[in-house]
Amino acid sequence: MSKRALLLAALLCQASNSAAFQQPKVKQADAYPLRHNGQVIYLHGDPTATITCAPLDLCLIALQPGELIQRDGMHISDAIRWQVKPTVGANDTTHVVLKPLASGLETSLALVTDRRSYHLNLVSRETGSMPLITFRYPDEISAAWSAYYRDRAEAEAQRRLPETEEDISTLDFDYTITGCSGCAWRPLRVYNNGKRTILHLGPGIHQGETPALLVHSSQGEVLVNYRIQADRYIVDRVFDRAVLVLGVGRKQERVTIARKSRTSPEGFSWLD
């Protein structure tokens, strides 16, 4: 697994933990049904969900827009004294129309759709009829929060260098790298964090001798102290100009690094 994948996995794990402890909770089932603008709202999956309908009244069960009842997906225990018909309204919303033929009836209704199943209790009474029944879906609410934390984790991963987890927005990438274009160790990028300069060298750094780093000063090119970590040179200062040198004489290889004005790091290939 790449370092970038490990970073993203760690952030996703952290996001999942945050979701578990910080995610707003759906109202408990005992808080339902809710009543709003003439609708009776049940929590989907509540086994006590009961629809009351007066004799010869029409009571509508509204599914989600685009949700379809499967063929042979409607089952009612008392199909003689309860009329059940489907209709499609605005926004491609399927409504199940209920009409009891007498008072004092009790039965159960099951609906199987292309998304989920519904199990409802039906009762008929002279009063308390519910003209429109809708649902809240806790699984979709939880999924929306999980997606939110996942997207935030992915956005955070995009803001960081995959190898070091450094925040890109705090780094200065505005350097030119010239010379020795065929050198396998030629830096892929150079940046500083305001205190240190990091040279990310090419894969050839592991294949032979390592170049020396000389920084330009008023005394000319001078050696500086730096640490080597994997394929990186870490210099405990910010310099304006330096050169990497390997070999001597006519076979010497040189790469010049020059700092320019600060610019945005967007568009670098390691974010792809």
Side-chain angles (χ1 to χ4, degrees):
M1 183 181 290
S2 66
K3 291 181 178 179
R4 181 171 187 78
L6 288 171
L7 170 60
L8 181 56
L11 288 168
L12 286 172
C13 180
Q14 181 180 1
S16 297
N17 291 336
S18 297
F21 289 101
Q22 301 174 16
Q23 177 176 317
K25 295 183 178 180
V26 178
K27 284 192 174 184
Q28 296 298 318
D30 57 8
Y32 287 82
L34 306 176
R35 288 172 170 79
H36 178 69
N37 291 339
Q39 299 180 36
V40 177
I41 306 169
Y42 277 108
L43 188 68
H44 177 261
D46 179 2
T48 66
T50 300
I51 298 174
T52 301
C53 197
L56 304 181
D57 275 1
L58 297 180
C59 300
L60 276 63
I61 302 172
L63 307 184
Q64 279 188 317
E67 186 176 10
L68 300 176
I69 299 174
Q70 301 280 33
R71 184 176 294 275
D72 299 323
M74 190 283 293
H75 305 276
I76 187 168
S77 299
D78 185 353
I80 303 298
R81 295 179 295 176
W82 287 81
Q83 293 181 358
V84 183
K85 297 180 180 179
T87 184
V88 179
N91 300 319
D92 196 27
T93 300
T94 293
H95 292 83
V96 178
V97 183
L98 305 174
K99 184 170 73 170
L101 302 182
S103 180
L105 305 178
E106 296 186 10
T107 190
S108 59
L109 173 69
L111 301 172
V112 180
T113 75
D114 55 354
R115 299 180 186 176
R116 57 183 64 87
S117 61
Y118 299 78
H119 298 276
L120 304 166
N121 303 305
L122 307 182
V123 299
S124 64
R125 294 176 183 165
E126 294 294 339
T127 60
S129 193
M130 301 176 179
L132 180 61
I133 300 92
T134 60
F135 298 90
R136 294 270 176 85
Y137 301 95
D139 55 335
E140 294 194 352
I141 296 172
S142 297
W145 280 102
S146 296
Y148 167 78
Y149 287 113
R150 182 181 65 250
D151 292 345
R152 296 307 307 155
E154 291 175 351
E156 179 67 16
Q158 289 292 325
R159 292 179 55 244
R160 297 183 179 276
L161 288 178
E163 301 89 349
T164 63
E165 300 187 21
E166 293 171 287
D167 187 340
I168 294 171
S169 65
T170 66
L171 305 178
D172 178 5
F173 291 82
D174 200 19
Y175 289 81
T176 60
I177 303 170
T178 57
C180 201
S181 59
C183 293
W185 48 264
R186 189 175 190 265
L188 302 175
R189 56 183 175 268
V190 178
Y191 59 93
N192 76 76
N193 60 10
K195 295 180 179 180
R196 299 180 180 87
T197 303
I198 296 90
L199 287 67
H200 182 187
L201 302 182
I205 192 66
H206 302 298
Q207 298 173 3
E209 296 184 48
T210 57
L213 178 65
L214 307 174
V215 171
H216 285 255
S217 69
S218 56
Q219 290 79 36
E221 296 177 350
V222 297
L223 282 168
V224 293
N225 293 325
Y226 57 89
R227 304 185 302 281
I228 300 177
Q229 291 184 358
D231 53 1
R232 283 169 169 72
Y233 282 13
I234 301 175
V235 187
D236 290 325
R237 55 175 290 189
V238 176
F239 55 77
D240 291 328
R241 190 176 181 86
V243 61
L244 287 166
V245 179
L246 181 61
V248 296
R250 298 176 60 183
K251 294 185 178 181
Q252 185 181 78
E253 299 172 337
R254 294 174 64 92
V255 173
T256 300
I257 300 164
R259 184 183 179 211
K260 303 188 298 180
S261 59
R262 185 184 178 96
T263 59
S264 170
E266 293 179 2
F268 284 83
S269 60
W270 72 88
L271 294 180
D272 296 338

